[in-house]
Amino acid sequence: MSRYIGRRTFVEGTAATLAGAGLAGTVSAQQSEDADDGDGEQGERGERGQGEHDDGAEDAMTDDPTLVAHRGFAGVYPENTELAVEAASFGGPGTDTAHRRADVIEVDVVPTADGTLVTFHDDGLAGRDGGERGLTDAEGLVFETDTDTVTSAAVLGTEETVPTLETVLDSIPPSVGVNLEFKNPGSEDLRFAESLSEDALATQKELWRPYTERALSLASEYDNEVLVSSFYEAALATVRETDDSIPVAFLFWDSIETGLEITRRYDCEALNVPRNMVQGTPLFNDEYYVEGGFSDVDLVEIAHGEDREVNVWTVETWYQAQELGRAGVDGLIADYPTIL
């Protein structure tokens, strides 16, 4: 499988492809006429990820950070759905380009009780805290629910249903990268955003390994550049053991020290960090991260010094994007396509 590439490489490669096809300098937003009809008509299996789409790309400003569509631009479209990833990939639903296309699509991956991988964020179909989010019209834990029930659940009151990972990958053109965030594979006892002891890591890797192998095997059938991220150390460990050519990123949570420890342990290609962890911006929360003496740590400087990229979540406004860009981050994991 191809390695994940940053925005500069993406832009150069795309420009060369378009020039060779006589399409340099043009913008293409061709999709299926009914991107949200759910028929999944994406061409032959030998053309995975291609479909009937015209895979042109807009001119890009190479000084901009990579634009990563968080759950397929969750502020605009029903998150993690086929419609969301198609619209984010091509600059809007249908045949009209409404906004800039994403460079990378981020989706959450979790297995059903049958082992089928779907793109969904929460453990529960109704959302967190007994359905506070009202995420779908179904109930139950995803990993304890059969595939038919999960994929029939309507997302956020729309006609979009929870898609399989295969459906989502079919909907993203090869020139757009994919960030697969590995969620809970089927246990309420996982250690979230923690550095594990040797024994705990060995135990949790056994839970993750079948899930990781299925996800990477499926992703290998597509030509998209891939990055795997997770809050769970065992997830990154099993990715490294399954295919060490796949780039990984640890998702930082409430400890800069833990994040750097795990990042270095697995030689992660990227750090996916919350926006208030980026030193040198008005967004930095020095009170929250002062414990342990890490409030003055410049993660961007450290990461770049170690040849790693810094992707920031979740970016919601142009102001946040501007300040993070000035701080030198490499990727903006954003809910809205217009932040740049």
Side-chain angles (χ1 to χ4, degrees), residues 161-218:
T161 55
V162 178
T164 65
L165 176 59
E166 182 175 5
T167 296
V168 161
L169 292 175
D170 279 341
S171 303
I172 302 175
S175 60
V176 177
V178 180
N179 179 180
L180 302 176
E181 183 186 335
F182 281 11
K183 308 300 285 190
N184 191 332
S187 172
E188 297 187 57
D189 299 322
L190 291 181
R191 306 277 286 278
F192 182 83
E194 291 184 28
S195 177
L196 302 177
S197 68
E198 186 174 341
D199 288 344
L201 179 61
T203 299
Q204 293 198 16
K205 283 198 299 186
E206 292 305 307
L207 178 65
W208 281 96
R209 189 168 288 109
Y211 165 39
T212 297
E213 290 175 351
R214 287 198 302 273
L216 297 187
S217 176
L218 179 60

Side-chain angles (χ1 to χ4, degrees), residues 75-92:
V76 181
Y77 307 112
E79 62 182 61
N80 282 314
T81 61
E82 183 180 7
L83 169 63
V85 300
E86 282 196 336
S89 295
F90 292 93

